[in-house]
Amino acid sequence: MSNCFVCQQKGKPVKIVTLQNLLKTEVLAKLNTTLNYFFCGEENCPIVYFNQQGQIFIIEELKVPVYQKDKSKNIPVCYCFNWTRESIYQKIKETQQNDVENSIKAKMKAQLCACEIKNPQGSCCLTNVHQTIDNYSSEFELLNDDEMIVLTQN
Ligand SMILES: [Zn+2]
């Protein structure tokens, strides 16, 4: 059973190395590296990590803000290459293209990403980047009446 104690949603397994890197120093000693931890990605839930023994780590106990749980513009979407909601928005606005995903993919290919130790979810950010860009698409159409922007380039 790997459901979050607060929101009851299913958690996603994360590696210990993710918690070792992202928990604040003052709470790190609470981490039991012999147990399995799960990530709660529910927007309105304060829990970030939990284990099946009832231990939890909340948003404030991480060194970085959590994309899924904070809708602010300056929250990281891609933790490895420093893309925030705002910088993604600005880049697309500036270039009129979706170069962001390709840029991230190219760096991943060059093995420059470190999602396991940088991203609280412990895995690749691309789905979140895609979702962020999708959320902006209507906004861009409103901003650019006669300009089409390419939102998917594969
Ligand atoms: Zn939760």
Side-chain angles (χ1 to χ4, degrees):
M1 134 104 185
S2 58
N3 289 29
C4 174
F5 297 102
V6 172
C7 68
Q8 309 302 325
Q9 297 300 307
K10 202 167 171 7
K12 194 177 146 290
V14 276
K15 292 185 179 163
I16 285 292
V17 71
T18 306
L19 284 81
Q20 284 169 328
N21 277 278
L22 295 179
L23 289 177
K24 286 181 179 168
T25 315
E26 56 266 37
V27 296
L28 196 58
K30 292 199 293 175
L31 183 65
N32 183 336
T33 58
T34 65
L35 298 176
N36 295 317
Y37 286 84
F38 298 84
F39 172 78
C40 171
E42 278 298 301
E43 182 181 347
N44 296 315
C45 180
I47 312 288
V48 182
Y49 301 119
F50 60 91
N51 63 21
Q52 289 160 317
Q53 288 69 25
Q55 188 186 21
I56 56 167
F57 291 104
I58 59 170
I59 295 168
E60 290 76 17
E61 293 178 312
L62 271 77
K63 293 176 192 165
V64 295
V66 180
Y67 164 79
Q68 285 87 345
K69 297 178 188 284
D70 192 332
K71 294 292 158 200
S72 324
K73 286 198 294 187
N74 291 316
I75 293 301
V77 184
C78 168
Y79 289 78
C80 296
F81 310 118
N82 263 331
W83 287 103
T84 62
R85 287 192 179 92
E86 179 66 12
S87 69
I88 291 174
Y89 178 85
Q90 291 303 337
K91 180 75 174 172
I92 294 176
K93 194 175 163 187
E94 190 188 302
T95 59
Q96 299 293 297
Q97 290 185 11
N98 172 21
D99 283 339
V100 179
E101 284 179 276
N102 286 334
S103 145
I104 294 171
K105 281 179 193 163
K107 287 181 179 166
M108 283 169 66
K109 219 174 170 183
Q111 304 200 334
L112 299 175
C113 64
C115 314
E116 276 182 9
I117 59 169
K118 290 185 174 170
N119 191 330
Q121 72 186 26
S123 59
C124 177
C125 67
L126 273 185
T127 310
N128 301 338
V129 172
H130 197 78
Q131 183 188 63
T132 300
I133 294 169
D134 269 359
N135 289 344
Y136 282 139
S137 63
S138 60
E139 216 173 313
F140 278 112
E141 277 156 31
L142 288 173
L143 281 172
N144 301 284
D145 274 345
D146 46 23
E147 285 198 80
M148 276 294 289
I149 52 166
V150 183
L151 283 172
T152 46
Q153 286 188 338
N154 288 315

